[in-house]
Amino acid sequence: MFERLVQEAPQFFGYHNLVFIGQAMGRTLWMTLIGCGVGFVCGLFIAIIRQTQTRILMPVRLLVIVYVEFFRRIPFLVILFIVLFAIEPLIPGTSLLGIATVSVCLLSTAFLSEVIRSGLESVPRQQIEGAATLNFSFIQMMSMVILPQSWRVILPPAAAFIVMFIKDTSLASQLGVIELTFAGKMLVNRGFSPILGFGAILLCYFMLSYPLSRFAAYLEKRLESS
Amino acid sequence: MSHLEIRNVSSVYGKQRVLQDVSLSADKGEVVSLIGPSGSGKSTLLRVLIGLTPPIDGEIHIAGERVDYSSRRHLRRLRNRMAIVFQQYNLFQNMSVLRNVAIAPIKIKKRPRREAEEHARSLLKKVGMEDKQDAYPDQLSGGQQQRVAIARALATNPELLLLDEVTSALDPERVNEVLDTIRLLRSEGITMLIVSHEMAFVREVSTKVAMMDSGRIVEIGTPDQIFAAPRENRTREFVSKILSHPK
Amino acid sequence: MEYTFQFAAVFRELPYLLGGAALTLGIAFTSFWGGAVIGVLGAVAKVNGKRVARRIASAYVVFFTNTPALVQIFLLYYALPDVGILLDPLVAVVVGLTLNSGAYLTEILRAGVISVRRSEIEAATALNMSRFQILLYVILPHIAKTIYAPLSNFFVWLVLGSSLAALFGVEELTGRAINISTENLRSIETFLVVAVIYALLTLIASATLALVGRWAFRVDAKVL
Ligand SMILES: Nc1ncnc2c1ncn2[C@@H]1O[C@H](COP(=O)(O)OP(=O)(O)OP(=O)(O)O)[C@@H](O)[C@H]1O
Ligand SMILES: [Mg+2]
């Protein structure tokens, strides 16, 4: 087995393969970054809607609660299939990468909205009452009192969830998106040893995730001690 | 007509009735003190007045105008004229002392920033906190936070001020600083509703004292009458107990 | 463009799908308890172990929590034959998920163990409790309370995560959904129904765990 690895290694780590893996890694990163960016914005929006009290927004609140609970309770693989079969007839010609990215957005919005919501709720009720008696509007209260204090509670778990999304994107290989996992399969299909092929891919994922995990742990520790 | 008129107000927390048929009035410039045992509903009455806890019954009039607590417009107008200092200060932890005091005038009342900050500084000076204007609440002692909270309440120029046990978290020396501030406010003619356990102070500063128990007002009278010649047994019991064991 | 949803063809297959759901739960349970055994060992190693044991446990956790389970299982499934071990797809998936659970449960249990405060143990010692009593009345209830919520979240994650078994041809819930949809060509309806089954499955799991938590550990766990 070792002989085979040693024998294949020079060819495996050749220029073309490295570029191929690099591009695949780029797609993995793209899905994660766009997914988390959109997830953060939409999640913030949902979390804020859930904090409102007005009766008119009641149906909207119910709708977003159903959305969040539903998408946190179905496998990412199933989300991928649903998005695939829903988008294909609606917008023919959407790229597979686009479909996978939309799926990550749907998933991350649900999870990040919960993280953000618990951050918003971590601000003591007394300060919110203080703001109310000073005639702050809902938006002023959010922007001047609640959000500036909640990001410290939001950030550590959000970073941990981003690690989870990086790993979830590996399922997009099933659609045929040439991201890291699919690249690994292709390399193995071309005859490279599975240990070499999948091992290298695991290492790539590790290089993306590990710094983020450390960052999350660091944030958590720092915020705990302060 | 009185400046503040409370008529037969009741309120509940869940199923528990915490205010029962409370009536009380205050003329302009009056200082009315609420006394009574813990849990008797003093804080709740102040919360009802400023619209944090809805009344389920009764009427509240301010300067002859009935406040509709279900109307946002009414609430806004009410809170424009009335301010509260909470038992637990409720300062914004993410803002400096100066910002805490100046934010409502700048952002809500749209005053020019420079003018509002100037005013804020003069208020901080009044409560003896001018040298801490750049500190953050978590760097201050309870008494210091309490005084900042008073300055914050005053920054909006309220005609009515509600003070909830503003001295309870203070050590005896600090108590006097805060009480001095309140004396000063009285001389400026602000109508005040004060919850306090400092009986000597209540006696000195109030024009009227209301004794509360189990969500009801048991007795209303002048300070001298309440402390020297209470009509109700409950009042006599409470006053004698608290005078013989202060705190 | 018009599209009329037709669920009848899917509903006809409901018993078949529910059979898949049973396998899904089976995979999740097996990996959870397998992982729990590893997790206890890992947590003990990380908290009380010698330097080498700590290092090994840390490396194991860091590797498995920072790489996708799918690729780990690919490696197991395609590389082990090279050394003469041929794994059945279901076995490969369960082994992979068990190793993953082991890593996550190590972290969850470790957080529970280090949350026990020295002062509480000292207070109990001062009350003349025996070591066994301290373990039973002070340490274990405390750990149970701390780890309860993350543990039940993790179980939900495992139920959802087990869907990757479908990619190896295992006929659990997602696998059977794929089978049906290639036959009836009602893909979107099929996957919507399957999504609802997953949501109900995890909701029931969460609710059951919350009830158990309330009854056994007096944890005030929320269902949603
Ligand atoms: N948020 C709340 N939820 C439920 N019940 C409450 C709440 N706040 C107060 N209560 C109840 O309302 C009653 C009146 O409380 P309140 O805070 O008005 O008393 P208080 O006179 O201000 O007492 P203290 O002197 O201790 O501040 C008490 O019986 C209390 O248990
Ligand atoms: Mg009170």
Side-chain angles (χ1 to χ4, degrees), chain B residues 43 87 164-165:
Chain B
S43 300
Q87 207 165 347
D164 194 356
E165 291 188 38

Side-chain angles (χ1 to χ4, degrees), chain B residues 13 16 18 37-44 87 165 197:
Chain B
Y13 275 123
Q16 188 195 358
V18 284
S38 185
S40 57
K42 307 178 298 286
S43 300
T44 308
Q87 207 165 347
E165 291 188 38
H197 287 304

Side-chain angles (χ1 to χ4, degrees), chain A residues 4 73-74 167 174 209 213, chain C residues 65-66 82 104 167 195 202 206:
Chain A
R4 184 175 166 199
R73 289 179 181 281
I74 56 180
K167 296 189 286 179
Q174 207 47 34
S209 303
S213 300
Chain C
T65 54
N66 283 294
D82 275 8
Y104 282 102
L167 305 184
T202 56
S206 301

Side-chain angles (χ1 to χ4, degrees), chain A residues 30-31 34-35 38 67 71 76 79-80 83-84 87 91 94-109:
Chain A
W30 161 269
M31 286 187 282
I34 300 291
V38 171
Y67 169 83
F71 276 80
F76 184 57
I79 299 183
L80 277 169
V83 173
L84 173 73
I87 285 192
I91 317 165
T94 310
S95 73
L96 293 171
L97 182 63
I99 288 170
T101 309
V102 169
S103 308
V104 180
C105 292
L106 288 171
L107 179 80
S108 65
T109 298

Side-chain angles (χ1 to χ4, degrees), chain A residues 4-220:
Chain A
R4 184 175 166 199
L5 293 186
V6 172
Q7 195 185 353
E8 282 178 7
Q11 203 195 342
F12 184 84
F13 291 108
Y15 177 73
H16 284 293
N17 273 0
L18 290 185
V19 171
F20 178 65
I21 293 177
Q23 283 172 339
M25 198 160 166
R27 290 195 191 93
T28 292
L29 257 180
W30 161 269
M31 286 187 282
T32 311
L33 289 182
I34 300 291
C36 292
V38 171
F40 217 86
V41 174
C42 297
L44 179 65
F45 194 68
I46 287 182
I48 289 178
I49 286 181
R50 287 186 73 170
Q51 298 300 303
T52 57
Q53 310 267 325
T54 17
R55 208 165 301 156
I56 327 164
L57 288 177
M58 187 67 178
V60 185
R61 279 199 296 271
L62 261 172
L63 207 70
V64 296
I65 290 174
V66 169
Y67 169 83
V68 169
E69 282 306 322
F70 190 63
F71 276 80
R72 283 175 352 119
R73 289 179 181 281
I74 56 180
F76 184 57
L77 196 56
V78 174
I79 299 183
L80 277 169
F81 282 128
I82 292 178
V83 173
L84 173 73
F85 295 125
I87 285 192
E88 268 191 335
L90 283 178
I91 317 165
T94 310
S95 73
L96 293 171
L97 182 63
I99 288 170
T101 309
V102 169
S103 308
V104 180
C105 292
L106 288 171
L107 179 80
S108 65
T109 298
F111 277 98
L112 290 179
S113 87
E114 279 298 276
V115 170
I116 295 172
R117 186 168 73 102
S118 58
L120 299 185
E121 285 174 358
S122 72
V123 176
R125 204 194 73 238
Q126 284 98 327
Q127 289 184 50
I128 292 162
E129 292 188 339
T133 62
L134 289 170
N135 261 338
F136 280 50
S137 68
F138 178 78
I139 293 175
Q140 286 170 323
M141 189 175 334
M142 268 297 155
S143 63
M144 295 194 275
V145 179
I146 298 180
L147 285 176
Q149 293 186 71
S150 46
W151 65 267
R152 335 170 60 205
V153 182
I154 293 172
L155 229 45
F161 271 113
I162 296 173
V163 172
M164 190 185 96
F165 301 143
I166 293 179
K167 296 189 286 179
D168 277 341
T169 60
S170 69
L171 290 167
S173 61
Q174 207 47 34
L175 296 189
V177 180
I178 309 178
E179 42 64 78
L180 276 174
T181 305
F182 197 82
K185 274 168 89 173
M186 284 174 75
L187 289 172
V188 172
N189 283 344
R190 276 185 216 160
F192 288 109
S193 129
I195 294 190
L196 206 54
F198 291 125
I201 295 304
L202 283 173
L203 200 67
C204 290
Y205 276 111
F206 189 80
M207 287 189 311
L208 293 179
S209 303
Y210 185 62
L212 246 170
S213 300
R214 289 303 295 261
F215 183 59
Y218 162 78
L219 279 178
E220 195 157 0

Side-chain angles (χ1 to χ4, degrees), chain A residues 123-137 140-141 144-146 149, chain B residues 47 50-52 79-80 82-95 100-101 103-105 108 149 152-153 156:
Chain A
V123 176
R125 204 194 73 238
Q126 284 98 327
Q127 289 184 50
I128 292 162
E129 292 188 339
T133 62
L134 289 170
N135 261 338
F136 280 50
S137 68
Q140 286 170 323
M141 189 175 334
M144 295 194 275
V145 179
I146 298 180
Q149 293 186 71
Chain B
R47 290 174 60 87
I50 197 122
L52 287 174
R79 289 166 175 170
N80 250 326
M82 187 190 277
I84 184 167
V85 180
F86 294 94
Q87 207 165 347
Q88 315 87 349
Y89 348 120
N90 305 17
L91 292 179
F92 303 128
Q93 299 291 319
N94 58 320
M95 300 181 195
N100 257 290
V101 179
I103 186 145
I108 315 298
R152 183 177 75 177
T156 52

